[in-house]
Amino acid sequence: MASVYSLCLSKQQLIGILLIIIFFSSSTAKGCYKSIISFGDSLADTGNWVILLQQNKPTPAFPPFGGTYFNRPTGRCCDGRLIVDFFAQKLGLPMVPPYFRDANCSNCRKFRKGVNFAVVGATALDNAYLARKGIINELTNVSLGVQLGLLKTLLPSLCSSSSACNEFLKNSLILMGEIGGNEFNLAFIQGISTEVIGGLVPEVIKAISAAIGELIELGAMTFVVPGTIPLGCLPVLLTRLQTPNKQAYDRYGCLIWLNDFAHYYNEYLKKELESMRRLHPRINIIYADYYQASMPLYLSPRSFGFKSTLTACCGGEGPYNVNVTLSCGDPGTKSCDDPSSYVNWDGAHFTDEAHRVISNGLLDGSCTIPRFEFPSCAS
């Protein structure tokens, strides 16, 4: 018969249990990350492109951009917030500042709680590689590899040693985009062959995977990796690639073949991320299903208060209110009175309200693989 004393805990064991309790009640263990590090393109850019092209006066620097939430243009391709902004608000962190606002690091401390390297037009593959495939990107050369290099350059200004930088990244949420969509958007619009476009898919995903691998080596532990959105429902692509063949469209008015391609890309990405999880079992690699999180906007728009799904709120003319020679904010364009009733803002990007709906599906874990419910850390 076991002695009653064998059921008692030693002082050291009690201390150990208390330390475990303290750890699991800490903010980091609960998922309340101390920082957000964001990479990507226009779906995540909080102002970098506008800063880089200030002299050229890009339209996101002017009204009506930013009018819904910020009451001023912020450089976001939206009337208000992006998905990265909703993540920051959920996690109780400041809006993630664009890196190029202080690229010289005169006040690097503000980047301790977040930094955004995303740039409008950015691609996962560099421009030289794309040019060899016949794809020309005139918007920016700040590819994913360049963005990762900027982070590596910045890190010594944020932390005093490699171990401190390791800890900083460990406690940061890494948002890997969305990135990779522009390769395909440009290719479709520029008439690149389907053979070349299909060959780009593994190359794009390899670039994303390689960047994640480098960040893991630096100490990062938690990644959110978005798939692509329903490309066949974007007003700009519906305008550029419209066809008189009614069979090319689904019941919601989206181009079937483009959405099929988005499915193909996303499945390829999911398989790669699953391989990475097996390779790095202690790392959180979360697939963010932007496609599934977006589809309710098109399947049942009125249940969310949307009146228009395939027409841009801000644009020019035609069935989708998109003028391919003019951008939202240019002379000759106009903005709708109520952006919250529109899914699409400017032909290529969602509205603040659409981003809110999409973000809800991501943050509650219903549109992530594996399911990962982000805690509310706002004070």
Side-chain angles (χ1 to χ4, degrees):
M1 183 176 179
S3 167
V4 68
Y5 295 104
S6 66
L7 301 177
C8 297
L9 296 174
S10 69
K11 181 178 180 181
Q12 288 79 6
Q13 288 172 316
L14 284 170
I15 292 173
I17 290 172
L18 286 172
L19 288 174
I20 291 172
I21 292 171
I22 290 169
F23 172 78
F24 279 103
S25 63
S26 69
S27 61
T28 302
K30 289 188 295 183
C32 292
Y33 303 95
K34 297 180 180 179
S35 172
I36 291 176
I37 298 173
S38 174
F39 302 96
D41 55 25
S42 58
L43 296 187
D45 185 356
T46 54
N48 282 314
W49 190 59
V50 164
I51 295 167
L52 288 171
L53 296 183
Q54 221 163 22
Q55 292 181 341
N56 293 337
K57 298 181 179 180
T59 53
F62 298 95
F65 285 87
T68 294
Y69 182 81
F70 299 100
N71 296 315
R72 60 181 177 82
T74 63
R76 291 165 173 81
C77 291
C78 184
D79 62 306
R81 293 161 292 183
L82 308 178
I83 291 172
V84 62
D85 297 315
F86 285 97
F87 268 78
Q89 290 179 324
K90 175 77 171 183
L91 298 176
L93 291 169
M95 298 285 189
V96 186
Y99 166 77
F100 286 101
R101 183 180 293 167
D102 189 13
N104 295 324
C105 229
S106 58
N107 181 21
C108 281
R109 290 186 62 83
K110 65 176 172 293
F111 291 143
R112 291 283 302 171
K113 292 188 176 182
V115 57
N116 194 339
F117 299 98
V119 178
V120 169
T123 51
L125 303 170
D126 64 59
N127 285 0
Y129 178 91
L130 294 174
R132 291 195 293 271
K133 300 292 183 180
I135 302 168
I136 306 303
N137 183 3
E138 297 179 342
L139 287 173
T140 185
N141 61 358
V142 187
S143 64
L144 178 58
V146 173
Q147 294 177 29
L148 183 57
L150 293 173
L151 171 64
K152 291 178 179 178
T153 301
L154 175 64
L155 278 175
S157 300
L158 300 181
C159 31
S160 57
S161 65
S162 59
S163 60
C165 288
N166 185 289
E167 188 68 16
F168 170 71
L169 290 172
K170 177 183 176 182
N171 293 319
S172 298
L173 180 67
I174 314 295
L175 296 183
M176 297 300 297
E178 194 260 5
I179 189 76
N182 282 322
E183 279 89 339
F184 307 115
N185 294 339
L186 291 168
F188 291 134
I189 291 171
Q190 293 173 17
I192 303 300
S193 71
T194 54
E195 182 181 2
V196 170
I197 293 172
L200 284 177
V201 172
E203 296 302 316
V204 166
I205 290 172
K206 187 188 301 182
I208 296 170
S209 177
I212 293 171
E214 288 191 55
L215 288 162
I216 290 172
E217 289 183 8
L218 292 171
M221 293 284 290
T222 303
F223 298 84
V224 174
V225 188
T228 195
I229 59 178
L231 299 175
C233 303
L234 284 181
V236 65
L237 292 180
L238 286 166
T239 298
R240 294 267 194 171
L241 304 172
Q242 60 185 307
T243 170
N245 179 13
K246 295 182 179 180
Q247 300 303 313
Y249 299 89
D250 64 19
R251 59 186 292 195
Y252 307 104
C254 303
L255 277 168
I256 295 171
W257 70 268
L258 265 178
N259 279 351
D260 285 346
F261 175 82
H263 270 298
Y264 169 71
Y265 172 85
N266 288 338
E267 288 303 313
Y268 207 117
L269 177 60
K270 283 191 278 188
K271 289 177 182 177
E272 176 63 19
L273 297 182
E274 182 56 38
S275 295
M276 293 201 74
R277 289 188 199 103
R278 289 195 295 268
L279 190 63
H280 304 282
R282 300 185 65 183
I283 304 298
N284 292 315
I285 302 176
I286 304 151
Y287 172 69
D289 198 336
Y290 278 23
Y291 191 104
Q292 290 303 323
S294 304
M295 281 312 294
L297 305 177
Y298 304 103
L299 301 181
S300 54
R302 295 198 178 278
S303 65
F304 299 100
F306 294 112
K307 297 178 181 177
S308 176
T309 57
L310 304 181
T311 303
C313 166
C314 183
E317 56 189 19
Y320 305 106
N321 196 32
V322 172
N323 186 325
V324 295
T325 63
L326 296 175
S327 299
C328 171
D330 284 341
T333 63
K334 59 183 179 180
S335 179
C336 65
D337 293 331
D338 182 14
S340 69
S341 66
Y342 280 69
V343 168
N344 193 277
W345 167 241
D346 61 356
H349 307 96
F350 294 113
T351 58
D352 176 281
E353 183 62 17
H355 281 138
R356 185 188 68 78
V357 175
I358 295 167
S359 297
N360 286 344
L362 301 171
L363 290 166
D364 69 10
S366 60
C367 292
T368 65
I369 302 173
R371 188 180 180 96
F372 193 93
E373 186 171 350
F374 295 85
S376 180
C377 303
S379 57

